[in-house]
């Protein structure tokens, strides 16, 4: 049996697994099974996950189940082919220190896109800018030349790149951009090199912006905003066949029809 990853296609935590497999040249070593988060979870999948709904979930060839994307990422890195992680213990510790900064960074970006109070926006911008400065300081100390943490796109890049991609919803819905200041120059080079890497092209800005519109209205994980009947995460109509959503998330929300969902 081929290992199976139950996932949401546009999910950043799933994409980091796809990036890892692409780096190894082993994209066919795991089968991805799409879960429709706009519908109740399959009881059989809930049985396997012992009632939890967070994705992705890895089902091994032996039928054992692993959860949490970073756990799955490290398992696949050790299990399949030559490791992407650094072989030198100190270098691996350094990349692990960088990966440890992912949680607050992720939370800040998602809280910002889901924020519904225009007056709270400056605080969200300050928070995210501060986390970018921390990343910049780390990279300046450990890898001032760059563009990556070490000599190639590695495990830390696989973790952060999907978030850099998803935060394009901040560019679109919040008009957010990294400040053009020296404190952000190193992290900007890292981000741009990560986004351009051939192994990290599984999703596009258009797909992210269209599917995450409900997040911009404060409704995440397939929940429906008030007055709507179809989630922006719906599989049909295909996202390519829908119009771009309105940029003004604080203005009147778009209807299902305006979003091309009916």
């Amino acid at each position: 049996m081929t290992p199976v990853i139950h996932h949401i296609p546009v999910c950043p935590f799933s994409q980091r697994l796809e990036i890892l497999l692409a780096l190894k040249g082993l994209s066919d070593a795991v089968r991805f099974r799409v879960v429709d988060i706009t519908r109740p979870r399959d009881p059989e999948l809930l049985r396997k996950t012992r009632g939890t709904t967070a994705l992705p979930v890895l089902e091994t060839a032996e039928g054992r189940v692993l959860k949490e994307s970073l756990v799955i990422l490290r398992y696949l890195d050790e299990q399949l082919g030559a490791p992407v992680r650094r072989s030198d213990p100190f270098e691996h510790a350094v990349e692990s220190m960088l990966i440890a900064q992912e949680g607050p960074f992720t939370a800040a970006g998602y809280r910002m896109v889901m924020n519904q109070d225009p007056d709270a926006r400056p605080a969200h911008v300050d928070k995210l800018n501060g986390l970018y400065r921390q990343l910049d300081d780390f990279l300046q100390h450990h890898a001032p030349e760059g563009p990556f943490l070490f000599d190639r796109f590695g495990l830390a890049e696989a973790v952060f790149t999907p978030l850099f991609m998803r935060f394009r919803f901040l560019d679109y819905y919040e008009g957010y951009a990294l400040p053009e200041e020296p404190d952000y120059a190193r992290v900007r080079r890292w981000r741009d090199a990560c986004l351009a890497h051939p192994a990290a092209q599984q999703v596009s800005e258009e797909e992210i912006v269209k599917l995450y519109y409900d997040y911009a209205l404060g409704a995440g994980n397939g929940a429906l905003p008030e007055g709507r009947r179809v989630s922006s995460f719906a599989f049909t109509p295909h996202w390519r066949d829908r119009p771009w959503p309105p940029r003004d998330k604080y203005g009147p929300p778009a209807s299902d029809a305006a979003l091309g969902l009916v």
Side-chain angles (χ1 to χ4, degrees):
M1 172 183 168
T2 303
V4 174
I5 293 175
H6 303 270
H7 81 130
I8 310 163
V10 78
C11 170
F13 311 117
S14 296
Q15 191 192 2
R16 60 178 49 152
L17 307 178
E18 295 179 88
I19 291 172
L20 179 81
L21 294 169
L23 289 170
K24 291 171 174 281
L26 295 172
S27 295
D28 294 334
V30 174
R31 183 159 55 94
F32 284 83
R33 182 174 295 165
V34 174
V35 176
D36 185 349
I37 62 169
T38 69
R39 301 176 181 272
R41 291 289 192 275
D42 182 347
E44 178 62 17
L45 180 57
L46 288 175
R47 183 189 66 76
K48 293 175 181 178
T49 64
R50 301 178 64 229
T52 61
T53 58
L55 297 170
V57 169
L58 172 67
E59 188 175 357
T60 71
E62 298 76 26
R64 294 178 292 183
V65 171
L66 291 174
K67 297 184 282 187
E68 300 297 335
S69 69
L70 290 180
V71 172
I72 298 171
L73 186 78
R74 294 182 188 278
Y75 172 81
L76 292 177
D77 194 30
E78 295 172 6
Q79 187 75 6
L80 300 173
V84 169
R85 70 169 179 83
R86 305 301 294 184
S87 58
D88 177 83
F90 182 80
E91 290 183 353
H92 180 48
V94 170
E95 71 183 349
S96 295
M97 286 195 298
L98 182 53
I99 289 169
Q101 299 187 48
E102 173 266 332
F105 183 74
T106 301
Y110 274 79
R111 287 185 185 127
M112 184 175 176
V113 77
M114 294 185 74
N115 170 54
Q116 300 301 291
D117 179 4
D119 293 336
R121 184 183 179 280
H124 286 285
V125 171
D126 288 345
K127 177 66 174 179
L128 189 58
N129 284 348
L131 292 167
Y132 268 117
R133 287 196 301 273
Q134 288 180 23
L135 292 173
D136 190 280
D137 179 73
F138 186 97
L139 292 164
Q140 285 279 14
H141 179 73
H142 291 284
E145 300 302 322
F148 301 121
L149 178 60
F150 293 105
D151 60 329
R152 55 179 168 80
F153 188 110
L155 199 66
E157 284 78 16
V159 168
F160 273 91
T161 301
L163 301 171
F164 295 147
M165 288 190 161
R166 295 318 174 283
F167 287 3
R168 285 169 169 162
F169 55 43
L170 299 179
D171 304 343
Y172 189 86
Y173 292 117
E174 294 285 353
Y176 176 82
L178 274 178
E180 296 286 347
E181 298 172 10
D183 287 349
Y184 303 91
R186 178 63 185 90
V187 73
R188 184 191 304 278
R189 282 195 291 125
W190 186 49
R191 182 198 65 179
D192 292 349
C194 287
L195 289 171
H197 196 276
Q201 304 306 311
Q202 292 83 5
V203 295
S204 67
E205 178 181 8
E206 181 181 1
E207 182 179 6
I208 290 166
V209 166
K210 290 181 177 179
L211 269 62
Y212 276 93
Y213 177 65
D214 290 354
Y215 269 79
L217 300 183
N221 295 322
L224 285 174
E226 185 177 355
R228 292 261 309 287
R229 300 183 64 182
V230 183
S231 168
S232 61
F233 273 89
F235 292 162
T236 56
H238 194 279
W239 58 266
R240 288 192 184 92
D241 299 325
R242 307 178 200 173
W244 287 72
R247 285 181 177 270
D248 184 9
K249 57 174 275 188
Y250 300 109
S255 66
D256 289 339
L259 294 169
L261 294 170
V262 294

